[in-house]
Amino acid sequence: MIQAIQLILALSFLVLIHELGHFTFAKIFHVRVEKFYLFFNPRISLFRAKKFDGKWHFKFFAPNEDKEWEAHPETTEWGIGWLPFGGYCAIAGMVDETHSTDDLAAEPQEWEFRFRPAWQRLLIILGGILVNFVGALVIFTMLLWHWGSDTLPLRNINTGLYYSQIMVDEGFHQQDKILFVDGEEPETLSDAVQAIIIEGKRNVTVLRGADTIQLVMSEDLGTRYLAQQNAFDKIEREKKRADKSYQKRRYTLLSEWVPCVLDTVMPEMAGAYAGLQKGDSIVSIAGEPTLCNAQMVEELQRHPCDSVAIEYYRAGEKHTTKAFIGDQCKLGVAVKWDIFELEHTDYNFFQAIPAGIRYGWDILAMYVKQFRLVFTKEGAQSLGGFGAIGSMFPSVWSWYLFWHMTAFLSIILAFMNFLPIPALDGGYILFLLVEIITRHKPSDKFLERANEIGFWLLLALLIFANGNDILKLFF
């Protein structure tokens, strides 16, 4: 429920500021905005407001048709629809989802969108994208100003890294330390993953003991990673369906090598019943070495509802015990994670501005680079709709994470709207740029047909993405 609430609030906020971007530029150029709605309102609206005859008029749960209100087209009608998907800004004289060519007067009127020169129409269309992108930069700036930033530099992970099987197949050994990727030193672990998987960089230099080793990644590593991730997620969904209380794990390509030194042993859990204590160092489970936390988690997953032997060290002495692992495959222990030195940076307001801009721009660049993977079979299978987006929010409320995710989605919304697809802002931008270059304006009928095609393409994509979410619930 908390995830759903965060999703609705974030998307509502983003749609609102996106449409306000269009509205603001329309007003700057004296173009009428007939309606401004949050959510869609087929036939009836939850709330309607409009100012005419010198005063505001309000209606609740009212039908959309109202001759008295329609007699005053010079003012904007504000409202909230009942269908909580998106929203719209109905601009006079613009062929879009709110107007067809039949709704336009024979001759362009001075207050209409189509009456304005191409450069003004271009700015009106760009307004939504600009506000979403700039809004994200503002949010990131405020987050850095208020909370600062905590990073774990890759060079501070002195124990090395834990590699999933797909990376072991590429030639990595456990506890290798990544030094360079294509000659550049990644600052953090996520930077290394981005360079190898998203950007497709292939030459990796690692430190193995005292030796420097050169590794060359496979060309299809990105798609194989997505395939492995999809397979892993399917197994986790099956476990969740079998046991509603099961907490699904996320697929991890690389992670810090965190030794199995216990920091917490929860009472009345398998580890406590087995006699484990804080400070114990687990070295094997069921005879398999478990020298780091990731290995311990993986080995426990292989023994659901089973009794396993556990070897550990306490005060320098080796001990053995047995623990019964339930269907959750957990000991009920937590290891010490604070063994690496984090770097915290505080920002004053003026320092936070360039840092927020740089952070937002890096996120946009990362998303654009990974967009290429969408066009692969594995990438298409990983596409998700509202359910997948909602799962990105935390299950407990955090203002920092809520606004961080909202800013991230704002950048995605800006990028997706910039794509040259009819019915999206990018489609209008493409046609307007053609008009500016050729000095020939496409006909309103052409724009209407292009929008219809774009609408059905977007609807198909929406059905496909949300269909993936539905399929993942059952398969």
Side-chain angles (χ1 to χ4, degrees):
M1 183 60 69
I2 291 177
Q3 287 178 314
I5 291 172
Q6 290 181 93
L7 174 65
I8 294 172
L9 286 176
L11 292 183
S12 299
F13 172 76
L14 296 179
V15 168
L16 187 65
I17 65 172
H18 179 89
E19 299 302 335
L20 276 174
H22 295 311
F23 176 88
T24 301
F25 279 94
K27 286 301 183 181
I28 289 174
F29 299 124
H30 306 290
V31 175
R32 284 182 184 174
V33 178
E34 298 169 347
K35 293 185 178 183
F36 187 101
Y37 265 75
L38 176 63
F39 306 147
F40 292 111
N41 59 325
R43 301 184 68 85
I44 64 172
S45 304
L46 298 181
F47 170 75
R48 301 174 67 200
K50 190 170 187 176
K51 185 178 182 180
F52 57 88
D53 294 337
K55 62 180 181 179
W56 280 96
H57 301 259
F58 304 94
K59 289 191 176 183
F60 298 89
F61 304 100
N64 296 332
E65 296 182 3
D66 190 308
K67 292 184 178 180
E68 181 184 10
W69 287 34
E70 292 169 0
H72 300 275
E74 70 281 359
T75 58
T76 303
E77 177 184 325
W78 303 82
I80 300 176
W82 58 268
L83 191 61
F85 296 105
Y88 65 92
C89 177
I91 299 175
M94 179 178 175
V95 178
D96 58 7
E97 69 273 14
T98 64
H99 295 101
S100 67
T101 53
D102 297 334
D103 299 321
L104 303 181
E107 293 296 328
Q109 304 299 310
E110 63 179 8
W111 62 78
E112 289 186 324
F113 174 82
R114 57 181 176 153
F115 185 82
R116 298 299 168 193
W119 70 270
Q120 291 186 5
R121 284 181 276 132
L122 180 62
L123 286 176
I124 292 173
I125 296 300
L126 278 170
I129 296 173
L130 289 173
V131 168
N132 275 130
F133 183 64
V134 173
L137 301 184
V138 170
I139 293 174
F140 286 135
T141 296
M142 294 298 104
L143 291 176
L144 290 173
W145 182 34
H146 188 272
W147 278 285
S149 66
D150 287 302
T151 58
L152 175 57
L154 195 56
R155 61 180 177 275
N156 288 5
I157 307 177
N158 48 30
T159 57
L161 301 176
Y162 175 78
Y163 297 91
S164 61
Q165 185 59 49
I166 193 172
M167 299 302 284
V168 172
D169 294 341
E170 291 294 311
F172 289 95
H173 289 189
Q174 301 300 353
Q175 294 188 271
D176 279 353
K177 299 177 183 179
I178 295 179
L179 301 178
F180 303 101
V181 180
D182 273 8
E184 296 182 3
E185 182 181 1
E187 183 177 349
T188 65
L189 187 58
S190 61
D191 290 338
V193 174
Q194 177 181 329
I196 296 171
I197 299 298
I198 297 176
E199 299 178 23
K201 295 181 178 180
R202 300 182 59 195
N203 299 298
V204 182
T205 305
V206 301
L207 182 65
R208 183 176 299 163
D211 300 325
T212 301
I213 309 295
Q214 302 292 333
L215 300 175
V216 180
M217 304 295 98
S218 304
E219 290 186 4
D220 64 343
L221 178 58
T223 54
R224 287 195 294 115
Y225 160 71
L226 288 177
Q228 188 117 351
Q229 184 182 51
N230 291 337
F232 179 87
D233 289 343
K234 183 177 180 180
I235 293 173
E236 290 297 294
R237 291 195 302 271
E238 290 173 352
K239 292 179 179 178
K240 182 68 174 179
R241 283 193 293 269
D243 181 2
K244 298 300 182 184
S245 64
Y246 179 76
Q247 296 180 353
K248 293 193 295 183
R249 297 177 296 150
R250 294 185 179 274
Y251 181 77
T252 303
L253 185 72
L254 307 173
S255 62
E256 303 90 346
W257 182 279
V258 182
C260 288
V261 179
L262 303 187
D263 186 55
T264 303
V265 179
M266 289 174 275
E268 299 184 4
M269 294 287 287
Y273 289 133
L276 295 176
Q277 299 177 9
K278 179 178 179 178
D280 289 349
S281 179
I282 296 177
V283 293
S284 77
I285 293 177
E288 293 295 327
T290 54
L291 303 179
C292 75
N293 180 68
Q295 289 178 330
M296 178 179 69
V297 171
E298 287 188 358
E299 192 58 38
L300 289 173
Q301 291 289 322
R302 297 189 178 100
H303 300 278
C305 301
D306 194 8
S307 182
V308 296
I310 300 175
E311 291 183 333
Y312 63 96
Y313 280 89
R314 178 182 298 168
E317 294 185 8
K318 190 174 185 179
H319 300 269
T320 303
T321 185
K322 279 200 169 185
F324 179 77
I325 309 302
D327 52 7
Q328 290 279 335
C329 300
K330 293 181 178 180
L331 278 175
V333 300
V335 301
K336 291 177 64 68
W337 281 90
D338 57 351
I339 60 174
F340 307 118
E341 183 180 353
L342 294 175
E343 291 187 358
H344 179 80
T345 305
D346 287 315
Y347 300 87
N348 62 36
F349 178 73
F350 296 103
Q351 292 171 330
I353 294 174
I357 293 173
R358 184 169 57 252
Y359 186 76
W361 187 259
D362 288 344
I363 288 180
L364 175 62
M366 178 193 69
Y367 189 77
V368 172
K369 290 173 183 176
Q370 74 178 26
F371 194 69
R372 66 182 179 86
L373 297 175
V374 172
F375 301 99
T376 64
K377 176 184 176 182
E378 294 78 11
Q381 291 175 349
S382 66
L383 277 178
F386 295 113
I389 297 173
S391 67
M392 296 168 66
F393 287 92
S395 57
V396 293
W397 189 272
S398 165
W399 280 113
Y400 175 84
L401 294 177
F402 169 77
W403 283 114
H404 191 280
M405 184 55 62
T406 299
F408 176 71
L409 292 177
S410 191
I411 286 179
I412 293 178
L413 183 61
F415 172 73
M416 295 300 293
N417 264 287
F418 194 71
L419 295 177
I421 301 174
L424 289 179
D425 292 345
Y428 290 101
I429 292 170
L430 175 63
F431 295 138
L432 283 166
L433 290 176
V434 170
E435 178 183 345
I436 291 172
I437 294 171
T438 64
R439 299 182 181 276
H440 178 73
K441 180 182 177 181
S443 69
D444 292 331
K445 203 66 180 178
F446 171 81
L447 292 177
E448 182 180 14
R449 292 288 179 264
N451 279 331
E452 289 176 356
I453 294 172
F455 171 80
W456 289 111
L457 287 174
L458 291 175
L459 182 61
L461 179 61
L462 188 66
I463 292 173
F464 178 80
N466 286 281
N468 271 350
D469 286 346
I470 295 172
L471 287 174
K472 289 174 183 177
L473 288 175
F474 301 100
F475 301 99

